[in-house]
Amino acid sequence: MPTPTQPLPPSIQRRSTITFDWQAEYQAPYSGLRVLGTRWSPASHQVKDFLGRNQIPYQWTDVEIAAPDKEVEQLIPNGDFKSVSLPLVVLPGGEVLSNPPLGELAARIGLRTRAETTFYDFVIVGGGPAGLAAAVYGASEGLKTLLVERQAPGGQAGMSSRIENYLGFPSGLTGADLARRAFTQAKRFGAEILSPQEAVGLRVDGPYRFIKLRDGSEISCHALLIASGLSWKKLDIPGVDRLQEAGVYYGAAMTEAQLCAGEDVYVVGGANSAGQAAVYFAQFARSVTILVRSDSLQKGMSQYLIDQIRQVENIRVETQSEVVEVHGDDHLESITILNQETGETKTVPTTALFIFIGAVPCTAWLRGKLPMDDRGYLLTGTLLPKDGDGPKGWKEERDPFLFESIIPGVFAAGDTRHASIKRVASAVGEGSISVQMVHQYLSKVR
Ligand SMILES: Cc1cc2nc3c(=O)[nH]c(=O)nc-3n(C[C@H](O)[C@H](O)[C@H](O)COP(=O)(O)OP(=O)(O)OC[C@H]3O[C@@H](n4cnc5c(N)ncnc54)[C@H](O)[C@@H]3O)c2cc1C
């Protein structure tokens, strides 16, 4: 075996696992993005969550507990972190942003938030599986395609710790991996992706459909797809709003998982998203308790997840149970649980509560513009409200396409559409199919 003083052939050097003494001690200076904050600060959580979901690598330092290093000492004199507006984001060039708005941070780290031009053949609102699939097919089939995403590509699926029922991935894949692959594929075909950027308004002028963006700019197109999906339903109990992102989180909040090491955490909800999160957090936490209102997990969760949960020793399930109050000063310290069967309550200590109690469609910005059901899901095709034989307000000679709304050329796909199946595969399917309808529509307007 060669000794460290003998040069190794290049092929072996590349594969070598020999560790020299100096390497064990040596720590390369970190030159990437750095975030300094405190665990319980909602602003710190938002920055970490934003970077994590956009798959931007960063190094996190909790200034309350980390041993001060030279950089921290320079940035926070005398360790008095209450005197600075946290989090601090240190850019690779050394510039420091103090508690930056996410839009500004996005622009500084090179994410695209402004469109290259003002007109596109096809604009998609929402970068979940439906929107990304539409972007892949639209761009690959020659349409000048723009996708607008308000948080991070991937949507709800991007928050999943492991998707195991998506065709072609027999051992599953993480939502982050799926999002990264789909994003790369859409970009490779030439789709333009703005993220973070939010659609806030829709107007129509002749054959043009206009989308107003949060920054005040407008984009026009011939065909528009609404694939804005769902966002978490809020839990309306005392204390939750005050402690949100300071121990109380909606969704899986992956960035917090490792910080739960050795702690007892609680997951509220009985659907697959709650089950996946419990299995994921159980790798880090001392214990995970799932609180579910119904009398068994069978009512809302897939059998494969129930089987997995049974095999994880540190997961407990409390049925017929609900959280009725959360407590803590600047962060979550305990929660009160009501047992619906006995009527008894108990208060237990915990620093992390993850809430998965269902979702609502992200369509508030379309109210009054597009027909929706009483819960806000968009109505399309044969489901549009009728007036006599045809859809109310429809002026074309042809019938609306299956995913077309009351405005010709404006389509809806994925979870946000009334009667959709809430699955990754069906969102991908609907996003892909909608592009066929877009082609048929464009063949008459261009
Ligand atoms: C934690 C979790 C785990 C899941 N696990 C599975 C699983 O294992 N298998 C499975 O099949 N399904 C799973 N699902 C369900 C699946 O993820 C969804 O059915 C799917 O993501 C729906 O895709 P979508 O594109 O329709 O909507 P979404 O995924 O909700 O994406 C919509 C996107 O639109 C964006 N948006 C909303 N409004 C605007 C606006 N005004 N402007 C710009 N952007 C906007 C949102 O930020 C979001 O990124 C899971 C869901 C969750 C939450």
Coordinates of all heavy atoms in Angstrom, one line a residue, residues 125-131 148-152 154-157 159-160 162-165 197-199 227-230 232 273 276 304 356 362 365 413-416 422-425 427, ligand 1:
V125 N -49.0 29.9 -13.6 CA -48.9 30.4 -12.2 C -48.8 29.2 -11.3 O -49.8 28.4 -11.2 CB -50.1 31.3 -11.9 CG1 -50.1 31.7 -10.4 CG2 -50.1 32.5 -12.8
G126 N -47.7 29.1 -10.6 CA -47.5 28.0 -9.7 C -46.5 27.0 -10.2 O -46.6 26.5 -11.3
G127 N -45.5 26.7 -9.3 CA -44.4 25.8 -9.7 C -44.4 24.5 -9.0 O -43.4 24.0 -8.6
G128 N -45.6 24.0 -8.7 CA -45.7 22.6 -8.1 C -45.6 21.6 -9.3 O -45.3 22.0 -10.4
P129 N -45.9 20.4 -9.0 CA -45.8 19.3 -10.0 C -46.7 19.7 -11.3 O -46.2 19.5 -12.4 CB -46.4 18.1 -9.4 CG -46.1 18.3 -7.9 CD -46.2 19.8 -7.7
A130 N -47.9 20.2 -11.1 CA -48.7 20.6 -12.3 C -48.0 21.6 -13.1 O -47.9 21.5 -14.4 CB -50.1 21.0 -11.8
G131 N -47.6 22.7 -12.5 CA -47.0 23.8 -13.2 C -45.7 23.5 -13.8 O -45.4 23.8 -15.0
V148 N -44.4 31.3 -13.1 CA -44.3 32.3 -11.9 C -44.6 31.5 -10.6 O -45.6 30.9 -10.5 CB -45.3 33.4 -12.1 CG1 -45.2 34.4 -10.9 CG2 -45.1 34.2 -13.4
E149 N -43.6 31.5 -9.7 CA -43.8 30.7 -8.5 C -43.5 31.6 -7.3 O -42.5 32.3 -7.2 CB -42.8 29.5 -8.5 CG -42.6 28.9 -7.1 CD -43.8 28.4 -6.4 OE1 -44.7 27.8 -7.0 OE2 -44.0 28.8 -5.2
R150 N -44.4 31.6 -6.3 CA -44.3 32.6 -5.2 C -43.4 32.2 -4.1 O -42.9 33.1 -3.4 CB -45.7 33.0 -4.7 CG -46.3 31.9 -3.9 CD -47.6 32.4 -3.3 NE -48.3 31.3 -2.6 CZ -49.4 31.4 -2.0 NH1 -50.1 32.5 -2.1 NH2 -49.9 30.4 -1.4
Q151 N -43.1 30.9 -3.9 CA -42.2 30.5 -2.9 C -41.0 29.8 -3.4 O -39.9 30.4 -3.4 CB -42.9 29.6 -1.9 CG -44.0 30.4 -1.1 CD -44.9 29.5 -0.3 OE1 -45.2 28.4 -0.7 NE2 -45.3 30.0 0.9
A152 N -41.2 28.6 -3.8 CA -40.0 27.8 -4.4 C -40.6 26.7 -5.3 O -41.6 26.1 -4.9 CB -39.2 27.2 -3.2
G154 N -41.6 23.3 -6.8 CA -41.8 22.0 -6.0 C -43.2 22.0 -5.4 O -43.8 20.9 -5.3
G155 N -43.7 23.1 -5.0 CA -45.0 23.2 -4.4 C -45.1 22.3 -3.1 O -44.1 22.1 -2.4
Q156 N -46.3 21.8 -2.9 CA -46.5 20.9 -1.7 C -45.6 19.7 -1.8 O -45.0 19.2 -0.8 CB -47.9 20.4 -1.7 CG -49.0 21.4 -1.5 CD -50.3 20.7 -1.8 OE1 -50.8 19.9 -1.0 NE2 -51.0 21.0 -2.9
A157 N -45.4 19.1 -3.1 CA -44.6 17.9 -3.2 C -43.2 18.2 -2.8 O -42.5 17.3 -2.2 CB -44.6 17.5 -4.7
M159 N -42.3 19.7 -0.3 CA -42.2 19.7 1.1 C -42.2 18.3 1.7 O -42.2 18.0 2.9 CB -43.3 20.5 1.8 CG -43.2 22.0 1.5 SD -44.5 22.8 2.4 CE -45.7 23.1 1.1
S160 N -42.4 17.3 0.8 CA -42.5 15.9 1.2 C -41.1 15.3 1.5 O -40.2 15.5 0.8 CB -43.2 15.1 0.1 OG -43.1 13.7 0.4
R162 N -40.5 12.1 1.7 CA -40.3 11.0 0.8 C -41.6 10.6 0.1 O -42.6 10.3 0.7 CB -39.8 9.8 1.6 CG -39.4 8.6 0.6 CD -38.3 7.8 1.2 NE -37.0 8.5 1.1 CZ -36.2 8.4 0.0 NH1 -36.5 7.7 -1.0 NH2 -35.0 9.1 0.1
I163 N -41.5 10.7 -1.2 CA -42.7 10.3 -2.1 C -42.4 8.9 -2.5 O -41.4 8.7 -3.2 CB -42.8 11.3 -3.3 CG1 -43.1 12.7 -2.8 CG2 -44.0 10.9 -4.2 CD1 -42.9 13.8 -3.8
E164 N -43.3 8.0 -2.1 CA -43.0 6.6 -2.4 C -43.9 6.0 -3.5 O -43.7 4.9 -3.9 CB -43.1 5.8 -1.1 CG -42.1 6.3 -0.1 CD -41.8 5.3 1.0 OE1 -41.5 4.1 0.6 OE2 -41.9 5.6 2.1
N165 N -45.0 6.8 -3.9 CA -45.9 6.2 -4.8 C -45.9 6.9 -6.2 O -46.9 6.8 -6.9 CB -47.3 6.3 -4.2 CG -47.7 7.7 -3.7 OD1 -46.9 8.6 -4.0 ND2 -48.9 7.8 -3.1
Q197 N -41.9 35.1 -7.0 CA -42.7 36.1 -7.6 C -44.1 35.7 -7.5 O -44.4 34.5 -7.7 CB -42.2 36.4 -9.0 CG -42.9 37.5 -9.7 CD -42.7 38.9 -8.9 OE1 -43.6 39.2 -8.1 NE2 -41.7 39.6 -9.2
E198 N -45.0 36.6 -7.2 CA -46.4 36.1 -7.0 C -47.4 36.8 -8.0 O -47.3 38.0 -8.2 CB -46.8 36.5 -5.6 CG -48.2 36.0 -5.2 CD -48.5 36.2 -3.7 OE1 -47.7 36.9 -3.0 OE2 -49.6 35.8 -3.3
A199 N -48.3 36.0 -8.5 CA -49.4 36.6 -9.3 C -50.4 37.1 -8.4 O -50.9 36.4 -7.5 CB -49.9 35.5 -10.2
A227 N -52.0 27.0 -11.8 CA -51.7 25.7 -11.2 C -51.2 26.1 -9.8 O -50.1 25.7 -9.4 CB -50.6 25.0 -12.0
S228 N -52.0 26.8 -9.1 CA -51.6 27.5 -7.8 C -51.8 26.6 -6.6 O -51.4 27.0 -5.5 CB -52.2 28.8 -7.6 OG -53.6 28.7 -7.8
G229 N -52.3 25.4 -6.8 CA -52.3 24.4 -5.7 C -53.0 24.8 -4.4 O -54.0 25.6 -4.5
L230 N -52.5 24.3 -3.3 CA -53.1 24.5 -2.0 C -52.1 25.1 -1.0 O -50.9 24.9 -1.2 CB -53.6 23.1 -1.5 CG -54.5 22.3 -2.4 CD1 -54.8 21.0 -1.7 CD2 -55.7 23.0 -2.8
W232 N -51.6 25.5 3.5 CA -52.1 24.9 4.7 C -53.2 25.7 5.3 O -53.3 26.9 5.4 CB -50.9 24.8 5.8 CG -49.8 23.9 5.3 CD1 -48.6 24.3 5.0 CD2 -49.9 22.5 5.1 NE1 -47.8 23.2 4.6 CE2 -48.6 22.1 4.7 CE3 -50.9 21.6 5.3 CZ2 -48.3 20.8 4.4 CZ3 -50.6 20.2 5.0 CH2 -49.3 19.9 4.6
S273 N -49.4 13.3 4.5 CA -48.4 14.3 4.8 C -47.9 14.3 6.2 O -46.8 14.4 6.5 CB -48.9 15.7 4.4 OG -50.2 16.0 5.0
Q276 N -45.8 11.0 6.7 CA -44.5 11.1 6.2 C -43.6 11.9 7.1 O -42.4 11.6 7.4 CB -44.5 11.8 4.9 CG -44.9 11.0 3.7 CD -45.0 11.9 2.4 OE1 -44.6 13.0 2.4 NE2 -45.5 11.3 1.4
Y304 N -49.4 1.8 3.4 CA -47.9 1.6 3.4 C -47.3 2.5 4.5 O -46.3 2.2 5.1 CB -47.3 1.9 2.0 CG -47.1 3.4 1.7 CD1 -45.9 4.0 2.0 CD2 -48.0 4.1 1.0 CE1 -45.6 5.3 1.6 CE2 -47.8 5.5 0.7 CZ -46.6 6.1 1.0 OH -46.4 7.4 0.7
F356 N -50.6 19.6 10.2 CA -51.0 19.1 8.9 C -52.5 18.9 8.9 O -53.0 17.7 8.9 CB -50.3 17.8 8.6 CG -48.8 17.9 8.5 CD1 -48.1 17.8 9.7 CD2 -48.1 18.0 7.3 CE1 -46.7 17.8 9.7 CE2 -46.8 18.0 7.3 CZ -46.0 17.9 8.5
C362 N -55.3 28.1 -3.4 CA -54.7 29.4 -3.4 C -55.3 30.2 -4.6 O -54.7 30.4 -5.6 CB -53.2 29.4 -3.7 SG -52.3 28.4 -2.5
W365 N -57.0 35.5 -5.1 CA -56.7 36.6 -6.0 C -57.5 36.5 -7.3 O -57.5 37.4 -8.1 CB -55.2 36.6 -6.4 CG -54.7 35.3 -7.0 CD1 -54.5 34.1 -6.4 CD2 -54.3 35.2 -8.4 NE1 -54.0 33.2 -7.3 CE2 -53.9 33.8 -8.6 CE3 -54.2 36.0 -9.5 CZ2 -53.5 33.3 -9.8 CZ3 -53.8 35.5 -10.7 CH2 -53.4 34.1 -10.8
A413 N -55.2 23.6 -13.6 CA -54.8 22.2 -13.5 C -54.2 21.9 -12.1 O -53.7 22.8 -11.4 CB -53.7 21.8 -14.5
G414 N -54.3 20.6 -11.7 CA -53.7 20.2 -10.4 C -54.6 20.4 -9.2 O -55.9 20.5 -9.4
D415 N -54.1 20.4 -8.0 CA -54.9 20.4 -6.8 C -55.9 21.6 -6.7 O -56.9 21.5 -6.0 CB -54.0 20.5 -5.6 CG -53.4 19.1 -5.2 OD1 -53.5 18.2 -6.1 OD2 -52.8 19.0 -4.1
T416 N -55.6 22.7 -7.4 CA -56.4 23.9 -7.3 C -57.7 23.7 -8.1 O -58.7 24.5 -7.9 CB -55.6 25.1 -7.7 OG1 -56.1 26.2 -7.0 CG2 -55.6 25.4 -9.2
K422 N -55.8 14.5 -5.4 CA -54.7 15.2 -4.8 C -53.5 14.3 -4.7 O -53.2 13.7 -3.6 CB -55.1 15.7 -3.4 CG -56.4 16.5 -3.4 CD -56.3 17.9 -4.0 CE -57.6 18.7 -4.0 NZ -58.6 18.3 -5.0
R423 N -52.8 14.2 -5.8 CA -51.6 13.3 -5.9 C -50.6 13.9 -6.8 O -50.9 14.7 -7.8 CB -52.0 11.9 -6.5 CG -52.8 11.1 -5.5 CD -51.9 10.4 -4.5 NE -52.6 9.5 -3.6 CZ -53.2 9.8 -2.5 NH1 -53.1 11.0 -2.1 NH2 -53.8 8.9 -1.8
V424 N -49.3 13.6 -6.6 CA -48.3 14.2 -7.5 C -48.5 13.7 -8.9 O -48.5 14.5 -9.9 CB -46.9 13.7 -7.0 CG1 -45.8 14.1 -8.0 CG2 -46.5 14.2 -5.6
A425 N -48.8 12.4 -9.1 CA -48.9 11.9 -10.5 C -50.1 12.6 -11.2 O -50.0 12.9 -12.4 CB -49.1 10.4 -10.5
A427 N -51.4 15.5 -10.6 CA -51.0 17.0 -10.9 C -50.1 17.0 -12.1 O -50.3 17.8 -13.0 CB -50.3 17.6 -9.7
Ligands
LIG1 C1 -46.1 17.1 2.9 C2 -46.8 16.5 1.7 C3 -46.5 15.2 1.3 C4 -47.2 14.7 0.2 N1 -46.8 13.4 -0.2 C5 -47.4 12.9 -1.4 C6 -47.0 11.6 -1.8 O1 -46.2 10.9 -1.2 N2 -47.6 11.2 -3.0 C7 -48.5 11.9 -3.7 O2 -48.9 11.4 -4.8 N3 -48.9 13.1 -3.3 C8 -48.3 13.7 -2.1 N4 -48.7 14.9 -1.7 C9 -49.7 15.6 -2.5 C10 -49.0 16.3 -3.7 O3 -47.8 17.0 -3.2 C11 -49.9 17.4 -4.3 O4 -51.1 16.7 -4.8 C12 -49.2 18.0 -5.5 O5 -48.1 18.7 -5.1 C13 -50.2 19.1 -6.2 O6 -49.5 19.7 -7.2 P1 -49.9 21.1 -7.8 O7 -48.9 21.5 -8.7 O8 -51.3 21.0 -8.2 O9 -50.0 22.1 -6.5 P2 -48.9 22.5 -5.4 O10 -47.9 21.4 -5.2 O11 -49.7 23.0 -4.3 O12 -48.1 23.7 -6.1 C14 -48.7 25.0 -6.3 C15 -47.6 26.0 -6.3 O13 -48.2 27.3 -6.7 C16 -47.6 28.3 -6.0 N5 -48.5 29.5 -5.9 C17 -49.7 29.5 -5.3 N6 -50.3 30.7 -5.5 C18 -49.5 31.4 -6.3 C19 -49.5 32.7 -6.9 N7 -50.5 33.6 -6.7 N8 -48.4 33.2 -7.6 C20 -47.4 32.3 -7.8 N9 -47.3 31.1 -7.3 C21 -48.3 30.6 -6.6 C22 -47.3 27.7 -4.6 O14 -46.3 28.4 -3.9 C23 -47.0 26.3 -5.0 O15 -45.6 26.2 -5.1 C24 -48.1 15.4 -0.5 C25 -48.5 16.7 -0.1 C26 -47.8 17.3 1.0 C27 -48.2 18.6 1.5

